[in-house]
Amino acid sequence: MSPITALRTAQRVLADQSVTRMLGTRLISFSEEGAVVELDIRPEITNHHGAVHGGIVAYAADCALAFAGGAALGPDVVTSGLTIDYIAPARGRTLRANGMVMRAEGRRAACRCELVAIADDGTETLVAVAQGTIVAPEKKPERTEGTVAQEERAAKATDRASVRLGRIGTPTIQEVLKERRRTGDTDDGATVALVIEGGGMRGIVSAAMAAVIEQEGILDHIDMIVGTSAGAVNAAALAVGAANAMAESYAEVFASPEFIDVRRIARGRPVIDGLRIVSHVDDLLDIGSASGTDWAGRLAMVATDVDTGRAEALSDFADRDDLVNSLHASGLLPLLAGDPVQWRGRRWLDGGIVEAVPVVSAAARGATHAIVLATRPPGTQPGYGAADVVVERYLRRLNPELAAAYRGRPHRYRETLQQVRDGWSHGLSTIALTPRLSDPLPGRLERDQVALRAARTAAADAAREHLAFLLEEKP
């Protein structure tokens, strides 16, 4: 089907919806890159403040997300879940929702949407960011006597498993973990992901938590590990049994001008030597050996594709070089670590631009449950200061979508972490291991060894407390 035909077909689908006709919603773009919908801002859809009602903004986001997901999965899709963060009042002439697929795999697509209000002079204002999971429902085969009997047997088996886990219905991550620890059996229909946030040298926090996961034997009950930036390095170290050594290395090895030196700016060189860091980690801890184990397909590093502006989970590593260079791609902080890295035929930057906490990537890879190792305390989010404005301008020159993703990063982060702490995010049952509000929190470029050691100790203690509470064990 040609792009024009595909657009016309999708427009007819949208036009068949009565709410579309009532609001005058228009589909102006539809392709594998995503979907864009617009509607005119008029008094009938505004609130008492004169801005577009939040429900209408959410509706526009849902439309864009669904059509973006449909472009990737096929026409028969539904929205499984949607979250939205309102940033500014939507006033002006037009409300535009730009839906993009972050990752599509199987019958699920993880999508995000940027919504802007366009003024009469063409000025665009970001008013909301949304993310959602779009699914293609599984087509049920025609039922026969044989399939009915098979369904009944499967239902009984499911009920037995649910009762064994203490409830009828979907078991929580806590229930799955407790049962796996009790029986040692991971063949329970669940897919448990360990999701690891990075944050430069603040990655010592998630590294210390990963070391506790290793020490407590939790890794035996994990089906996949997904990390972003420094979290990806921590993930690789955990996969080769070196999580504790990795946690030590932040303060004892990498808090050095050999790896991080702001004075390099004066010489026109990157502050962070990312490839040197990951290569040195490989020399110290042999993380590249994970490419030759069964973790090669269960370990994923999230990086941002410069040309599409989307997060991508790099996995299925062919060899040591593939794994090490994927780590470099995942953690290449814009400007601070230099220009985008070329790998696997594409250009990459730090995965945290789009997905600092890669829950969406874990869901897209088939996870049903997740333990999230976060590096910030509850209720906090990345700041956005003068340095971030400079980074945003740099990213806009590379790809405007990168700049938009970077600008919306604090809001996505806060929303995702809140969902994770509430126990349900992007279709996954979740738990979060986070620092306590009183714990020391190192900066992204921290080189103070005392501060780093204190953060490591506090993070490990916090992780043990979290796990003891979640698994109802004495700390």
Side-chain angles (χ1 to χ4, degrees), residues 11-247:
Q11 287 172 333
R12 285 194 294 272
V13 171
L14 182 64
D16 282 342
Q17 302 174 15
S18 57
V19 67
T20 294
R21 296 191 294 272
M22 179 178 69
L23 295 175
T25 313
R26 304 180 296 275
L27 180 65
I28 64 172
S29 176
F30 177 77
S31 69
E32 292 181 356
E33 300 301 315
V36 179
V37 301
E38 287 185 350
L39 54 88
D40 295 330
I41 297 176
R42 57 187 193 277
E44 293 86 350
I45 64 171
T46 59
N47 58 24
H48 61 290
H49 297 296
V52 178
H53 191 282
I56 302 297
V57 176
Y59 154 78
D62 184 34
C63 280
L65 291 167
F67 276 94
L73 302 177
D76 186 15
V77 296
V78 294
T79 303
S80 173
L82 179 153
T83 61
I84 187 166
D85 199 356
Y86 299 99
I87 298 170
R91 298 189 179 96
R93 181 188 69 222
T94 306
L95 177 66
R96 176 181 294 165
N98 183 11
M100 295 154 281
V101 177
M102 298 172 67
R103 184 177 180 88
E105 190 168 296
R107 296 185 295 108
R108 298 162 64 96
C111 305
R112 66 181 173 89
C113 180
E114 306 273 350
L115 296 104
V116 298
I118 305 174
D120 290 334
D121 62 0
T123 303
E124 296 185 4
T125 301
L126 182 69
V127 297
V129 291
Q131 52 191 4
T133 302
I134 308 301
V135 299
E138 188 173 7
K139 290 181 170 56
K140 294 184 178 180
E142 184 178 349
R143 301 179 83 218
T144 64
E145 289 185 7
T147 58
V148 169
Q150 188 176 17
E151 288 171 6
E152 289 176 348
R153 288 194 298 271
K156 289 178 180 178
T158 300
D159 284 347
R160 284 196 298 271
S162 298
V163 169
R164 188 176 72 246
L165 291 168
R167 63 188 286 181
I168 299 294
T170 302
T172 65
I173 176 62
Q174 293 94 325
E175 292 169 324
V176 169
L177 278 181
K178 288 166 69 174
E179 183 67 6
R180 286 186 173 192
R181 283 164 65 83
R182 186 183 71 82
T183 66
D185 182 15
T186 58
D187 187 18
D188 51 13
T191 301
V192 179
L194 182 65
V195 174
I196 309 180
E197 181 190 355
M201 292 298 281
R202 198 177 61 254
I204 193 172
V205 173
S206 57
M209 292 177 173
V212 172
I213 293 288
E214 183 178 75
Q215 292 158 7
E216 297 297 323
I218 302 295
L219 188 61
D220 295 337
H221 313 299
I222 300 296
D223 300 302
M224 70 172 76
I225 313 176
V226 184
T228 294
S229 194
V233 179
N234 297 340
L238 183 59
V240 297
N244 191 60
M246 185 66 233

Side-chain angles (χ1 to χ4, degrees), residues 221-302:
H221 313 299
I222 300 296
D223 300 302
M224 70 172 76
I225 313 176
V226 184
T228 294
S229 194
V233 179
N234 297 340
L238 183 59
V240 297
N244 191 60
M246 185 66 233
E248 291 180 351
S249 297
Y250 278 86
E252 311 309 324
V253 178
F254 298 109
S256 160
E258 179 183 357
F259 302 102
I260 302 173
D261 190 351
V262 295
R263 295 173 299 180
R264 293 186 188 135
I265 294 177
R267 301 192 294 272
R269 295 173 55 200
V271 172
I272 302 171
D273 192 337
L275 184 58
R276 187 180 182 87
I277 289 174
V278 295
S279 297
H280 198 65
V281 172
D282 187 31
D283 291 340
L284 287 174
L285 308 179
D286 194 28
I287 56 174
S289 64
S291 62
T293 71
D294 69 339
W295 279 110
R298 299 192 291 137
L299 177 65
M301 292 93 171
V302 177

